[in-house]
Amino acid sequence: MRGFGSLFALQLFTRLLTFALNALLARRLGPAWYAFANVQLQLVGATLLFLPKEGLRRAAQRIYPGGDGAPLASGMNVAWLSAPAAVLAALLMAATAAATGVSGEWDELMGAAEARAALVVAGAAAIIEAASEPGWVYAQANELLPQRALAEAAAL
C-alpha cells in the first residue's frame, strides 16, 4: 500500500503543480506565448521521447520480466539505450532546425536565438527524462512501487 500511496501522491503533486503553473502562465503571458509553451514545446518533448519511452521501454520490459540473471543484464542494457537515443533525437532535431530554420509563428514571438534556446532546453529536459528509464524499468519489473515513484519523480 505504501508504494501505491507514493505513486498517488506523486501524481497528485504533479497535477496540482502543473495546474498552478499553467494558471500562472496563462494570466501572465498572452495566448500566443501560452500556446507556444503548451503546444509547440510539448510536441518537441513528446517527439524526442517517443523512441526511448515507447520503443526501448517496451523492449526492455519484454526482455526483463523481473528477477536476477541474464535477463536483468540484457533488459537494463536495453533500458540504458534510452538516454543515447534521446541525445541522438535531440541532435537530429537541432540539425533539422538549423537546416530549415525556425519559421512560422515562432518568428512573430521571438528571434532565432531565443527559439534555439527554447529547443535546447526542451531537448535537455527530454534527455534528463530519458535517463530515468532504467530505474523505472527495474522498479516496474520487480514491483517496487516506491522506487518507481522515485524514478518518475526524477524524470520530472
Side-chain angles (χ1 to χ4, degrees), residues 48-147:
L48 293 177
L49 287 171
F50 179 74
L51 176 64
K53 288 193 89 152
E54 296 301 321
L56 294 175
R57 179 187 278 185
R58 290 178 193 261
Q61 286 180 311
R62 286 187 180 131
I63 293 170
Y64 176 56
D68 294 331
L72 169 63
S74 298
M76 289 300 102
N77 286 341
V78 170
W80 275 110
L81 289 175
S82 296
V87 169
L88 180 62
L91 290 174
L92 286 171
M93 177 202 59
T96 302
T100 60
V102 179
S103 62
E105 294 178 14
W106 291 25
D107 286 342
E108 298 170 9
L109 292 175
M110 66 188 89
E114 290 88 2
R116 280 192 297 272
L119 290 175
V120 166
V121 169
I127 292 167
I128 291 169
E129 187 171 343
S132 71
E133 284 300 304
W136 188 94
V137 168
Y138 183 81
Q140 177 70 14
N142 290 300
E143 298 176 2
L144 304 171
L145 294 179
Q147 287 80 0

